[in-house]
């Protein structure tokens, strides 16, 4: 069983549900040394919820930057994070990729298949998120996103064709417990003392690519 990173009650991983986004953002900055920045949030409008950006056709309601210079807004200071979220406690928690981590983004079905295989192989794994739009993001060391397409090609597949996408420099991911129009971002594999050190993309790419290719083939079969 993984041991929680925190050694005191204040340092424990925030609960996925019911915990303030402010506390989650501060924890990521202080305990994981991840940069964070506040994004949009959901607002009730006419019996439904709409992104705070005001665009009725928003492509990522409740979970995108509020300003163009978001990369410069990101902070690794827990105190600064608390000040940011105190202004709008409902803001989504967004994490810039390409700094302390990259992410390998795969379809959820493939992600669970790969995760089970990796655990049987006893591979070193980092935290893994599960998004409401049925994707899973495996955190790896920076630079992994740029290497992923060629690594997948060497295995005989096309990364885009099988649904494996790298999230690196210039991109961001939503951190739990951010809530989008489709639901709440959760941990499939929570941050812990055991996964403080992230793996290289090369360590995970084979089981991820295999699972993605299998899922893509199954999807084609269902459509035929």
């Amino acid at each position: 069983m993984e041991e929680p990173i925190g050694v005191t009650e204040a340092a424990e991983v925030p609960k996925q549900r019911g915990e303030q986004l402010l506390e989650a953002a501060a924890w990521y900055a202080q305990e994981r040394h991840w940069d964070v920045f506040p994004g949009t949030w959901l607002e009730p409008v006419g019996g439904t919820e709409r992104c705070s950006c005001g665009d009725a056709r928003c492509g990522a309601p409740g979970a995108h930057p509020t300003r163009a210079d978001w990369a410069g807004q990101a902070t690794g200071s827990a105190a600064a994070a608390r000040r940011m979220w105190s202004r709008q406690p409902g803001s989504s928690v967004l994490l810039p990729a390409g700094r302390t981590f990259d992410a390998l983004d795969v379809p959820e079905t493939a992600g669970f298949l790969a995760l089970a295989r990796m655990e049987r192989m006893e591979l070193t794994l980092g935290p893994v998120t599960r998004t409401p739009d049925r994707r899973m993001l495996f955190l790896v060391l920076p630079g992994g996103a740029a290497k992923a397409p060629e690594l997948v090609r060497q295995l005989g597949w096309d990364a885009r064709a099988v649904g494996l996408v790298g999230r690196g420099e210039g991109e961001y991911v939503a951190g739990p417990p951010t809530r989008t129009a489709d639901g709440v971002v959760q941990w499939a594999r929570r941050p812990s003392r055991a996964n403080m050190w992230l793996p290289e993309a090369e360590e995970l790419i084979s089981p991820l690519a295999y699972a993605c290719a299998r899922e893509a083939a199954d999807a084609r079969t269902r459509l035929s």
Side-chain angles (χ1 to χ4, degrees):
M1 180 179 296
E2 291 185 348
E3 180 184 357
I5 282 177
V7 294
T8 66
E9 182 178 351
E12 290 178 356
V13 182
K15 299 282 192 300
Q16 287 185 169
R17 299 181 186 276
E19 192 74 29
Q20 292 185 4
L21 291 158
L22 180 155
E23 294 300 330
W27 190 89
Y28 294 144
Q30 180 171 325
E31 300 297 328
R32 293 299 290 203
H33 308 295
W34 292 342
D35 284 357
V36 297
F37 68 99
T40 54
W41 57 92
L42 297 176
E43 294 181 331
V45 177
T48 185
E49 289 185 311
R50 182 177 296 179
C51 186
S52 61
C53 71
D55 184 355
R57 296 177 295 178
C58 177
H64 66 83
T66 60
R67 43 198 274 188
D69 64 342
W70 61 264
Q73 182 189 20
T75 179
S77 162
R82 289 180 182 279
R83 287 194 297 271
M84 288 179 178
W85 268 267
S86 66
R87 301 185 193 115
Q88 176 46 256
S91 296
S92 53
V93 179
L94 303 182
L95 314 170
R99 299 186 181 185
T100 51
F101 66 81
D102 279 5
L104 300 179
D105 181 343
V106 302
E108 182 182 82
T109 303
F112 277 121
L113 176 65
L115 185 57
R117 186 180 181 195
M118 291 172 184
E119 289 175 340
R120 288 195 301 271
M121 296 168 66
E122 298 185 346
L123 295 182
T124 298
L125 290 168
V128 181
T129 68
R130 179 185 180 191
T131 66
D133 60 349
R134 304 194 67 180
R135 303 286 297 184
M136 288 176 69
L137 281 72
F138 290 71
L139 301 193
V140 296
L141 287 172
K147 294 186 287 187
E150 176 58 19
L151 292 172
V152 176
R153 188 195 67 77
Q154 291 173 7
L155 294 169
W157 295 293
D158 177 86
R160 289 280 178 178
V162 299
L164 192 156
V165 181
R167 305 290 179 193
E169 187 173 0
E171 299 181 89
Y172 59 87
V173 302
T178 291
R179 188 168 65 90
T180 74
D182 296 320
V184 180
V185 180
Q186 302 180 55
W187 289 114
R189 187 179 179 88
R190 295 169 66 83
S192 73
R193 187 180 300 277
N195 59 35
M196 276 292 288
W197 309 111
L198 301 178
E200 294 276 3
E202 290 89 338
E203 299 175 62
L204 308 187
I205 205 70
S206 180
L208 281 175
Y210 170 79
C212 286
R214 176 174 168 178
E215 170 62 16
D218 288 347
R220 288 193 298 271
T221 299
R222 290 193 296 268
L223 293 172
S224 63

Short mmCIF file of all heavy atoms in Angstrom, two decimals, residues 89-137:
data_model
loop_
_atom_site.label_atom_id
_atom_site.label_comp_id
_atom_site.label_asym_id
_atom_site.label_seq_id
_atom_site.Cartn_x
_atom_site.Cartn_y
_atom_site.Cartn_z
N PRO A 89 -12.62 31.27 -4.59
CA PRO A 89 -12.39 29.91 -4.10
C PRO A 89 -12.85 28.81 -5.05
O PRO A 89 -12.38 27.69 -4.95
CB PRO A 89 -13.18 29.88 -2.78
CG PRO A 89 -13.29 31.31 -2.37
CD PRO A 89 -13.39 32.09 -3.64
N GLY A 90 -13.76 29.11 -5.96
CA GLY A 90 -14.26 28.09 -6.86
C GLY A 90 -13.42 27.88 -8.09
O GLY A 90 -13.74 27.02 -8.93
N SER A 91 -12.33 28.63 -8.23
CA SER A 91 -11.50 28.52 -9.43
C SER A 91 -10.94 27.10 -9.60
O SER A 91 -10.53 26.46 -8.63
CB SER A 91 -10.32 29.50 -9.35
OG SER A 91 -10.77 30.84 -9.34
N SER A 92 -10.91 26.63 -10.83
CA SER A 92 -10.29 25.34 -11.11
C SER A 92 -8.81 25.39 -10.78
O SER A 92 -8.19 26.46 -10.80
CB SER A 92 -10.49 24.96 -12.58
OG SER A 92 -10.05 26.00 -13.43
N VAL A 93 -8.24 24.23 -10.46
CA VAL A 93 -6.81 24.13 -10.16
C VAL A 93 -6.12 23.63 -11.42
O VAL A 93 -6.29 22.47 -11.82
CB VAL A 93 -6.55 23.17 -8.99
CG1 VAL A 93 -5.05 23.06 -8.72
CG2 VAL A 93 -7.28 23.63 -7.74
N LEU A 94 -5.34 24.49 -12.05
CA LEU A 94 -4.66 24.13 -13.29
C LEU A 94 -3.15 24.04 -13.03
O LEU A 94 -2.59 24.86 -12.30
CB LEU A 94 -4.96 25.15 -14.39
CG LEU A 94 -6.46 25.33 -14.70
CD1 LEU A 94 -6.65 26.33 -15.84
CD2 LEU A 94 -7.11 24.00 -15.05
N LEU A 95 -2.52 23.04 -13.63
CA LEU A 95 -1.10 22.76 -13.42
C LEU A 95 -0.36 22.85 -14.74
O LEU A 95 -0.67 22.10 -15.67
CB LEU A 95 -0.94 21.35 -12.84
CG LEU A 95 -1.87 20.94 -11.68
CD1 LEU A 95 -1.73 19.45 -11.39
CD2 LEU A 95 -1.56 21.76 -10.44
N PRO A 96 0.61 23.76 -14.87
CA PRO A 96 1.37 23.86 -16.13
C PRO A 96 2.20 22.61 -16.35
O PRO A 96 2.91 22.15 -15.46
CB PRO A 96 2.26 25.08 -15.92
CG PRO A 96 1.72 25.79 -14.72
CD PRO A 96 1.06 24.75 -13.88
N ALA A 97 2.13 22.05 -17.55
CA ALA A 97 3.00 20.93 -17.91
C ALA A 97 4.33 21.49 -18.40
O ALA A 97 4.47 22.68 -18.67
CB ALA A 97 2.34 20.08 -18.99
N GLY A 98 5.33 20.62 -18.50
CA GLY A 98 6.62 21.02 -19.03
C GLY A 98 7.56 21.62 -18.01
O GLY A 98 8.67 22.02 -18.36
N ARG A 99 7.17 21.70 -16.76
CA ARG A 99 8.02 22.28 -15.71
C ARG A 99 8.53 21.17 -14.79
O ARG A 99 9.67 20.76 -14.88
CB ARG A 99 7.25 23.34 -14.94
CG ARG A 99 6.79 24.51 -15.83
CD ARG A 99 6.16 25.63 -15.06
NE ARG A 99 5.72 26.70 -15.96
CZ ARG A 99 5.21 27.86 -15.57
NH1 ARG A 99 5.09 28.11 -14.26
NH2 ARG A 99 4.84 28.77 -16.45
N THR A 100 7.67 20.68 -13.93
CA THR A 100 8.06 19.57 -13.05
C THR A 100 7.54 18.24 -13.55
O THR A 100 7.91 17.19 -13.03
CB THR A 100 7.56 19.81 -11.61
OG1 THR A 100 6.15 20.11 -11.66
CG2 THR A 100 8.29 20.98 -10.97
N PHE A 101 6.66 18.27 -14.54
CA PHE A 101 6.14 17.03 -15.12
C PHE A 101 5.59 17.30 -16.52
O PHE A 101 5.26 18.43 -16.87
CB PHE A 101 5.04 16.42 -14.25
CG PHE A 101 3.79 17.27 -14.18
CD1 PHE A 101 2.84 17.24 -15.19
CD2 PHE A 101 3.57 18.11 -13.09
CE1 PHE A 101 1.70 18.03 -15.14
CE2 PHE A 101 2.43 18.91 -13.02
CZ PHE A 101 1.49 18.86 -14.05
N ASP A 102 5.52 16.24 -17.32
CA ASP A 102 4.71 16.18 -18.53
C ASP A 102 3.63 15.15 -18.27
O ASP A 102 3.64 14.46 -17.24
CB ASP A 102 5.54 15.76 -19.75
CG ASP A 102 6.35 16.91 -20.35
OD1 ASP A 102 6.34 18.02 -19.77
OD2 ASP A 102 7.01 16.68 -21.38
N ALA A 103 2.68 15.03 -19.18
CA ALA A 103 1.62 14.03 -19.02
C ALA A 103 1.41 13.27 -20.32
O ALA A 103 1.47 13.85 -21.41
CB ALA A 103 0.32 14.70 -18.60
N LEU A 104 1.20 11.97 -20.19
CA LEU A 104 0.82 11.12 -21.33
C LEU A 104 -0.67 10.86 -21.17
O LEU A 104 -1.12 10.22 -20.22
CB LEU A 104 1.62 9.82 -21.31
CG LEU A 104 3.14 9.99 -21.40
CD1 LEU A 104 3.83 8.63 -21.36
CD2 LEU A 104 3.55 10.76 -22.65
N ASP A 105 -1.44 11.40 -22.10
CA ASP A 105 -2.90 11.48 -22.04
C ASP A 105 -3.48 10.38 -22.95
O ASP A 105 -3.24 10.39 -24.16
CB ASP A 105 -3.29 12.88 -22.52
CG ASP A 105 -4.78 13.15 -22.50
OD1 ASP A 105 -5.57 12.20 -22.43
OD2 ASP A 105 -5.16 14.34 -22.58
N VAL A 106 -4.26 9.46 -22.37
CA VAL A 106 -4.77 8.31 -23.12
C VAL A 106 -6.25 8.11 -22.83
O VAL A 106 -6.77 8.58 -21.81
CB VAL A 106 -3.98 7.03 -22.78
CG1 VAL A 106 -2.50 7.19 -23.05
CG2 VAL A 106 -4.21 6.62 -21.32
N PRO A 107 -6.96 7.38 -23.69
CA PRO A 107 -8.37 7.05 -23.40
C PRO A 107 -8.48 6.26 -22.10
O PRO A 107 -7.61 5.45 -21.77
CB PRO A 107 -8.79 6.20 -24.61
CG PRO A 107 -7.84 6.58 -25.70
CD PRO A 107 -6.54 6.87 -25.02
N GLU A 108 -9.57 6.48 -21.38
CA GLU A 108 -9.72 5.88 -20.05
C GLU A 108 -9.65 4.36 -20.07
O GLU A 108 -8.97 3.75 -19.24
CB GLU A 108 -11.06 6.32 -19.46
CG GLU A 108 -11.32 5.79 -18.06
CD GLU A 108 -12.67 6.22 -17.54
OE1 GLU A 108 -13.68 5.57 -17.89
OE2 GLU A 108 -12.72 7.21 -16.81
N THR A 109 -10.32 3.72 -21.02
CA THR A 109 -10.30 2.25 -21.07
C THR A 109 -8.88 1.73 -21.24
O THR A 109 -8.45 0.79 -20.57
CB THR A 109 -11.20 1.74 -22.22
OG1 THR A 109 -12.52 2.23 -22.03
CG2 THR A 109 -11.21 0.22 -22.26
N ALA A 110 -8.14 2.36 -22.17
CA ALA A 110 -6.75 1.98 -22.39
C ALA A 110 -5.92 2.27 -21.15
O ALA A 110 -5.01 1.50 -20.79
CB ALA A 110 -6.18 2.71 -23.59
N GLY A 111 -6.21 3.38 -20.49
CA GLY A 111 -5.45 3.76 -19.30
C GLY A 111 -5.57 2.76 -18.18
O GLY A 111 -4.58 2.39 -17.55
N PHE A 112 -6.80 2.28 -17.92
CA PHE A 112 -6.98 1.28 -16.86
C PHE A 112 -6.31 -0.04 -17.23
O PHE A 112 -5.73 -0.71 -16.37
CB PHE A 112 -8.47 1.07 -16.59
CG PHE A 112 -9.05 2.09 -15.65
CD1 PHE A 112 -10.10 2.90 -16.04
CD2 PHE A 112 -8.55 2.23 -14.36
CE1 PHE A 112 -10.65 3.84 -15.17
CE2 PHE A 112 -9.08 3.17 -13.48
CZ PHE A 112 -10.13 3.98 -13.90
N LEU A 113 -6.39 -0.42 -18.51
CA LEU A 113 -5.73 -1.64 -18.95
C LEU A 113 -4.22 -1.54 -18.75
O LEU A 113 -3.58 -2.45 -18.22
CB LEU A 113 -6.05 -1.89 -20.43
CG LEU A 113 -5.37 -3.10 -21.09
CD1 LEU A 113 -5.86 -4.39 -20.45
CD2 LEU A 113 -5.63 -3.10 -22.60
N ALA A 114 -3.66 -0.40 -19.17
CA ALA A 114 -2.21 -0.19 -19.03
C ALA A 114 -1.80 -0.12 -17.57
O ALA A 114 -0.77 -0.67 -17.18
CB ALA A 114 -1.80 1.08 -19.77
N LEU A 115 -2.60 0.56 -16.76
CA LEU A 115 -2.27 0.71 -15.35
C LEU A 115 -2.21 -0.64 -14.65
O LEU A 115 -1.28 -0.91 -13.88
CB LEU A 115 -3.30 1.61 -14.67
CG LEU A 115 -3.06 1.98 -13.21
CD1 LEU A 115 -1.71 2.66 -13.02
CD2 LEU A 115 -4.19 2.87 -12.69
N ALA A 116 -3.17 -1.51 -14.94
CA ALA A 116 -3.16 -2.85 -14.33
C ALA A 116 -1.92 -3.64 -14.77
O ALA A 116 -1.29 -4.32 -13.96
CB ALA A 116 -4.43 -3.60 -14.72
N ARG A 117 -1.58 -3.52 -16.04
CA ARG A 117 -0.40 -4.23 -16.54
C ARG A 117 0.88 -3.68 -15.91
O ARG A 117 1.78 -4.45 -15.53
CB ARG A 117 -0.34 -4.09 -18.06
CG ARG A 117 0.78 -4.91 -18.70
CD ARG A 117 0.80 -4.74 -20.20
NE ARG A 117 1.85 -5.54 -20.82
CZ ARG A 117 2.29 -5.38 -22.04
NH1 ARG A 117 1.75 -4.46 -22.83
NH2 ARG A 117 3.25 -6.14 -22.53
N MET A 118 0.98 -2.36 -15.80
CA MET A 118 2.17 -1.75 -15.19
C MET A 118 2.34 -2.17 -13.74
O MET A 118 3.46 -2.43 -13.29
CB MET A 118 2.06 -0.23 -15.27
CG MET A 118 2.16 0.35 -16.67
SD MET A 118 1.78 2.13 -16.60
CE MET A 118 1.83 2.53 -18.36
N GLU A 119 1.23 -2.25 -13.02
CA GLU A 119 1.32 -2.66 -11.62
C GLU A 119 1.76 -4.11 -11.49
O GLU A 119 2.53 -4.45 -10.60
CB GLU A 119 -0.03 -2.41 -10.94
CG GLU A 119 -0.31 -0.92 -10.75
CD GLU A 119 -1.69 -0.65 -10.17
OE1 GLU A 119 -2.57 -1.54 -10.26
OE2 GLU A 119 -1.90 0.47 -9.66
N ARG A 120 1.29 -4.96 -12.41
CA ARG A 120 1.74 -6.37 -12.39
C ARG A 120 3.24 -6.46 -12.71
O ARG A 120 3.95 -7.30 -12.16
CB ARG A 120 0.95 -7.19 -13.42
CG ARG A 120 -0.48 -7.47 -13.03
CD ARG A 120 -1.07 -8.58 -13.89
NE ARG A 120 -1.05 -8.27 -15.31
CZ ARG A 120 -2.02 -7.64 -15.96
NH1 ARG A 120 -3.10 -7.24 -15.29
NH2 ARG A 120 -1.93 -7.42 -17.26
N MET A 121 3.71 -5.55 -13.59
CA MET A 121 5.12 -5.53 -13.97
C MET A 121 5.97 -4.83 -12.92
O MET A 121 7.20 -4.80 -13.03
CB MET A 121 5.28 -4.82 -15.32
CG MET A 121 4.60 -5.52 -16.48
SD MET A 121 4.53 -4.47 -17.97
CE MET A 121 6.28 -4.33 -18.36
N GLU A 122 5.32 -4.22 -11.92
CA GLU A 122 5.98 -3.47 -10.85
C GLU A 122 6.83 -2.34 -11.41
O GLU A 122 7.95 -2.08 -10.94
CB GLU A 122 6.82 -4.41 -9.97
CG GLU A 122 5.98 -5.47 -9.27
CD GLU A 122 6.78 -6.33 -8.32
OE1 GLU A 122 8.04 -6.30 -8.38
OE2 GLU A 122 6.17 -7.01 -7.48
N LEU A 123 6.28 -1.65 -12.41
CA LEU A 123 6.97 -0.49 -12.96
C LEU A 123 6.86 0.69 -12.00
O LEU A 123 5.91 0.79 -11.22
CB LEU A 123 6.35 -0.09 -14.31
CG LEU A 123 6.49 -1.08 -15.46
CD1 LEU A 123 5.86 -0.51 -16.72
CD2 LEU A 123 7.96 -1.42 -15.71
N THR A 124 7.83 1.59 -12.07
CA THR A 124 7.76 2.83 -11.30
C THR A 124 6.71 3.72 -11.94
O THR A 124 6.75 4.01 -13.13
CB THR A 124 9.12 3.56 -11.32
OG1 THR A 124 10.10 2.73 -10.72
CG2 THR A 124 9.03 4.88 -10.58
N LEU A 125 5.73 4.13 -11.15
CA LEU A 125 4.63 4.95 -11.66
C LEU A 125 4.53 6.25 -10.89
O LEU A 125 4.80 6.30 -9.69
CB LEU A 125 3.31 4.20 -11.55
CG LEU A 125 3.11 3.00 -12.47
CD1 LEU A 125 1.90 2.20 -12.04
CD2 LEU A 125 2.96 3.47 -13.90
N GLY A 126 4.13 7.31 -11.58
CA GLY A 126 3.82 8.56 -10.93
C GLY A 126 2.33 8.66 -10.70
O GLY A 126 1.58 7.70 -10.94
N PRO A 127 1.84 9.80 -10.23
CA PRO A 127 0.40 10.00 -10.09
C PRO A 127 -0.30 9.90 -11.44
O PRO A 127 0.29 10.19 -12.49
CB PRO A 127 0.30 11.41 -9.50
CG PRO A 127 1.63 11.65 -8.86
CD PRO A 127 2.62 10.94 -9.72
N VAL A 128 -1.56 9.50 -11.41
CA VAL A 128 -2.37 9.38 -12.63
C VAL A 128 -3.73 10.01 -12.36
O VAL A 128 -4.38 9.68 -11.36
CB VAL A 128 -2.57 7.89 -13.02
CG1 VAL A 128 -3.39 7.78 -14.31
CG2 VAL A 128 -1.23 7.18 -13.17
N THR A 129 -4.15 10.92 -13.23
CA THR A 129 -5.47 11.52 -13.07
C THR A 129 -6.47 10.88 -14.01
O THR A 129 -6.12 10.30 -15.04
CB THR A 129 -5.46 13.04 -13.34
OG1 THR A 129 -5.21 13.29 -14.73
CG2 THR A 129 -4.43 13.76 -12.49
N ARG A 130 -7.73 11.01 -13.63
CA ARG A 130 -8.85 10.51 -14.43
C ARG A 130 -9.81 11.67 -14.63
O ARG A 130 -10.29 12.26 -13.65
CB ARG A 130 -9.53 9.37 -13.67
CG ARG A 130 -10.73 8.77 -14.37
CD ARG A 130 -11.38 7.75 -13.45
NE ARG A 130 -12.55 7.13 -14.06
CZ ARG A 130 -13.41 6.36 -13.41
NH1 ARG A 130 -13.23 6.12 -12.11
NH2 ARG A 130 -14.45 5.83 -14.03
N THR A 131 -10.08 12.03 -15.88
CA THR A 131 -10.89 13.20 -16.16
C THR A 131 -12.33 12.82 -16.48
O THR A 131 -12.61 11.70 -16.90
CB THR A 131 -10.30 14.01 -17.34
OG1 THR A 131 -10.39 13.22 -18.53
CG2 THR A 131 -8.85 14.35 -17.08
N PRO A 132 -13.28 13.75 -16.32
CA PRO A 132 -14.69 13.45 -16.59
C PRO A 132 -14.98 13.11 -18.04
O PRO A 132 -16.00 12.49 -18.33
CB PRO A 132 -15.41 14.73 -16.16
CG PRO A 132 -14.48 15.41 -15.22
CD PRO A 132 -13.11 15.08 -15.72
N ASP A 133 -14.11 13.53 -18.97
CA ASP A 133 -14.33 13.20 -20.38
C ASP A 133 -13.67 11.87 -20.76
O ASP A 133 -13.40 11.61 -21.93
CB ASP A 133 -13.86 14.33 -21.29
CG ASP A 133 -12.38 14.64 -21.13
OD1 ASP A 133 -11.77 14.13 -20.17
OD2 ASP A 133 -11.85 15.38 -21.96
N ARG A 134 -13.42 11.05 -19.74
CA ARG A 134 -12.95 9.66 -19.91
C ARG A 134 -11.56 9.59 -20.53
O ARG A 134 -11.32 8.83 -21.47
CB ARG A 134 -13.98 8.85 -20.72
CG ARG A 134 -15.38 8.86 -20.10
CD ARG A 134 -16.27 7.82 -20.69
NE ARG A 134 -15.80 6.47 -20.32
CZ ARG A 134 -16.43 5.36 -20.72
NH1 ARG A 134 -17.51 5.41 -21.45
NH2 ARG A 134 -15.94 4.17 -20.36
N ARG A 135 -10.66 10.37 -19.97
CA ARG A 135 -9.24 10.29 -20.32
C ARG A 135 -8.48 10.03 -19.03
O ARG A 135 -8.95 10.30 -17.92
CB ARG A 135 -8.75 11.60 -20.93
CG ARG A 135 -9.50 12.06 -22.16
CD ARG A 135 -9.18 11.26 -23.39
NE ARG A 135 -7.77 11.37 -23.80
CZ ARG A 135 -7.30 10.80 -24.90
NH1 ARG A 135 -8.09 10.08 -25.70
NH2 ARG A 135 -6.01 10.92 -25.22
N MET A 136 -7.25 9.47 -19.18
CA MET A 136 -6.36 9.30 -18.04
C MET A 136 -5.01 9.91 -18.40
O MET A 136 -4.52 9.75 -19.52
CB MET A 136 -6.21 7.82 -17.68
CG MET A 136 -7.47 7.26 -17.02
SD MET A 136 -7.38 5.48 -16.68
CE MET A 136 -6.15 5.44 -15.38
N LEU A 137 -4.43 10.63 -17.44
CA LEU A 137 -3.15 11.30 -17.67
C LEU A 137 -2.11 10.73 -16.72
O LEU A 137 -2.26 10.80 -15.49
CB LEU A 137 -3.28 12.82 -17.44
CG LEU A 137 -3.92 13.62 -18.58
CD1 LEU A 137 -5.43 13.36 -18.67
CD2 LEU A 137 -3.67 15.11 -18.38
#
